[in-house]
Every structure is written in C-alpha cells, then in structure tokens.
Amino acid sequence: GDATSAQRFCSFTGIDIRSLSLDPTARLYQDLELYPGPAFSLPNRDIVSDDLLKFVLKSLPGAVPETTEELRPVATAWWNYLAMCAGIGAPGTLREILRGYF
C-alpha cells in the first residue's frame, strides 16, 4: 500500500502509525520469495458493474472507497484475498487457516 492506505489502516485498527512500516513496493516480501497469492483481475465494467462492487464491499470490513479510481483496485484486492483464503491459487492456505481454528 501507500501512505494513504497506511493511515486508513491505522485509523481502522487503532495502531499507532509510528509502529507501522510501509513498503509500497513489497520489496521485502519479494526478497523473501514469499508466495504472492493469486493474481486474478475483475471482469470489466460491462460484466461487473461498479454498483455491484460497492454493494459487495459494503459487507466487508473497511469501507467502500471514496473515489471511483480506488474502487476496482480495492475490490480486486478483496477478490484475491478471499480466493487465497479459500485455497484457490494458494496451495496450503486453507489447511493453515483451518489449523488455526482446530
């Protein structure tokens, strides 16, 4: 994320921004060769409308982005996160999530 994302994250979680380290290029993550998860993209606006994305995002933590420019990147990030949590395109993730509960 960027500095705006960091501020929003801290506002949402209550974490002091001085305790947060920002890496907008994800360089450390890449250097450690961690799996980035799936890289799905959303269908274009003719297939999945912005109104549908706003409707779905309202049911998830956080908020619907204030600008149209942020809407699709935020929805895409959620789409990939939920797919990864379901084990789609991220081998072993579902097993680890279930291990945390049982």
Side-chain angles (χ1 to χ4, degrees), residues 23-79:
D23 181 9
T25 64
R27 187 77 209 154
L28 177 61
Y29 194 83
Q30 294 166 14
D31 289 348
L32 294 173
E33 298 179 9
L34 298 172
Y35 179 68
F40 301 124
S41 53
L42 293 172
N44 65 39
R45 286 179 173 83
D46 296 335
I47 298 171
V48 177
S49 71
D50 287 354
D51 289 336
L52 177 60
L53 295 179
K54 290 175 187 176
F55 175 78
V56 171
L57 288 174
K58 281 194 276 187
S59 68
L60 298 169
V64 174
E66 295 176 10
T67 67
T68 304
E69 292 80 28
E70 293 178 324
L71 182 62
R72 288 199 170 260
V74 168
T76 299
W78 269 109
W79 171 253

